[in-house]
């Protein structure tokens, strides 16, 4: 698959999930995004660019931090994400927010115009992450800050459940299309990429989040609400029930003494400053 085809597939998946993203079941992306905004630490009056902004889980807290005299610009490939996030910003009276459809790897902003760039759980979707880092460096003023997140560890029960479900994806469809996800799994590779792009003071910290699902139905509906639907959409209609049963069986390993399901997800927070 070429880069254009990969991007349009990703945009399609997130466009179809935009209405339900983080609206089904427990909070998952919201606490991760709030923590990203907290670590990026935008100050009153600053200008923040949030690439791959999704439903604004980092963008909107960042907008609150910069206040009415600052600016928070969100860019996302999926028009549905952009429309829903713009509506959320309006509802919350955050006039300093602008959201538009665009490529995280080539955000159309004036060079040197941003104090902070944030990139929450998006770098592994990009066909050329190093080119994206160069673009974010260009967007920043000297001394500007970058804060990004990657997933470093999924819960073993969740991993096993998704593996079981993936067994129902027809072979031709299951070819890996996102090698960047693998390359950006270690702090060392991200540090190296940042250093060659002019970033300094690179810090990584892993934070583990617990997510609890009331039952297996809530868990399954949650998968459809985010990028996980990418896999589910590839399963033939007549195999979906069997896939769900296989996933459910593996998720039993996450059952708690309180009879709900708990998974733990580790997110790596990387912060850096443009020299
Ligand atoms: C896992 S979600 C994360 C969203 C948000 N940053 C958060 O933390 O909740 C990934 C988002 O990146 C967007 N995305 C993926 N590739 C992109 C690209 N090349 N340019 C812009 N957005 C992209 C998707 O549409 C989706 O909204």
């Amino acid at each position: 698959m070429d880069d254009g085809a990969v991007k349009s597939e990703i945009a399609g998946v997130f466009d179809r999930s935009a209405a339900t993203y983080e609206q089904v079941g427990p909070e998952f992306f919201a606490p991760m995004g709030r923590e990203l905004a907290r670590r990026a630490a935008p100050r009153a009056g600053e200008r923040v660019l949030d690439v791959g902004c999704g439903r604004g889980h980092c963008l909107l807290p960042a907008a609150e931090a910069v206040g009415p005299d600052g600016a928070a610009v969100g860019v996302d490939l999926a028009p549905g994400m952009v429309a829903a996030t713009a509506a959320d910003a309006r509802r919350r009276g955050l006039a300093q927010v602008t959201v538009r459809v665009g490529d995280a790897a080539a955000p159309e902003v004036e060079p040197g115009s941003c104090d902070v760039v944030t990139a929450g759980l998006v770098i592994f979707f990009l066909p050329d992450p190093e080119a994206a880092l160069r673009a974010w460096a260009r967007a920043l003023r000297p001394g500007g800050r970058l804060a990004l997140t990657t997933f470093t560890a999924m819960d073993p029960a969740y991993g096993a459940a998704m593996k079981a479900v993936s067994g129902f994806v027809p072979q031709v469809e299951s070819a890996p299309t996102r090698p960047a996800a693998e390359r950006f799994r270690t702090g060392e590779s991200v540090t190296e990429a940042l250093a060659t792009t002019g970033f300094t003071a690179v810090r990584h910290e892993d934070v583990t989040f617990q997510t609890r699902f009331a039952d297996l139905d809530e868990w399954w509906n949650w998968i459809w609400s985010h990028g996980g639907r990418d896999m589910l959409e590839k399963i033939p209609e007549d195999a979906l029930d069997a896939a769900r049963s296989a996933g459910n069986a593996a998720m039993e390993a996450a059952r708690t003494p309180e009879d709900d399901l708990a998974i733990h997800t580790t997110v790596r927070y990387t912060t850096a400053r443009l020299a």
Side-chain angles (χ1 to χ4, degrees):
M1 230 194 265
D2 66 28
D3 289 359
V6 170
K7 274 199 280 186
S8 69
E9 181 179 300
I10 291 169
V13 167
F14 282 104
D15 209 40
R16 292 188 290 283
S17 76
T20 54
Y21 188 88
E22 200 65 353
Q23 314 295 307
V24 172
E27 279 199 325
F28 182 82
F29 296 102
M32 296 171 185
R34 282 194 295 270
E35 182 61 14
L36 181 59
R38 190 187 72 75
R39 285 167 185 261
R43 294 185 281 266
E46 286 193 323
R47 181 177 167 83
V48 178
L49 170 67
D50 184 39
V51 292
C53 63
R55 288 292 305 264
H57 293 110
C58 174
L59 178 70
L60 301 183
E64 279 165 1
V66 299
D69 296 331
V73 179
V75 173
D76 200 284
L77 267 190
M81 288 289 190
V82 169
T85 302
D88 287 344
R90 272 197 304 278
R91 207 170 302 122
R92 287 164 64 165
L94 296 169
Q96 63 271 39
V97 172
T98 316
V99 199
R100 58 167 184 261
V101 176
D103 189 346
E108 289 172 17
V109 293
E110 279 295 304
S113 64
C114 300
D115 301 290
V116 177
V117 171
T118 51
L121 304 173
V122 67
I123 196 163
F124 42 78
F125 286 117
L126 307 179
D128 186 347
E130 285 84 0
L133 289 175
R134 289 194 291 276
W136 302 342
R138 277 195 299 279
L140 285 168
R141 62 160 170 81
R145 289 106 68 205
L146 173 69
L148 63 88
T149 45
T150 47
F151 287 118
T152 48
M154 303 308 276
D155 191 276
Y158 178 58
M162 293 310 276
K163 189 160 186 275
V165 172
S166 75
F168 293 82
V169 175
Q171 211 52 37
V172 61
E173 296 274 16
S174 61
T177 53
R178 293 198 275 277
E182 289 311 315
R183 275 196 296 129
F184 276 69
R185 215 172 276 289
T186 70
E188 293 70 34
S189 56
V190 180
T191 304
E192 209 173 286
L194 286 169
T196 58
T197 327
F199 286 97
T200 178
V202 181
R203 292 189 54 186
H204 305 285
E205 200 176 337
D206 286 358
V207 180
T208 299
F209 295 85
Q210 187 189 64
T211 313
R212 295 184 82 136
F213 300 93
D215 52 35
L216 288 165
D217 287 346
E218 190 175 83
W219 170 72
W220 183 257
N221 293 334
W222 174 77
I223 306 288
W224 280 101
S225 75
H226 58 73
R229 72 180 294 132
D230 186 25
M231 187 191 291
L232 303 191
E233 286 179 347
K234 289 174 175 148
I235 298 173
E237 192 81 32
D238 60 3
L240 267 175
D241 284 348
R244 182 174 183 166
S245 299
N248 283 351
M251 271 299 282
E252 280 300 336
R255 194 157 301 273
T256 72
E258 290 78 41
D259 205 29
D260 63 354
L261 303 152
I263 61 168
H264 297 87
T265 309
T266 303
V267 173
R268 176 155 302 160
Y269 287 82
T270 300
T271 51
R273 193 163 39 77
L274 192 64

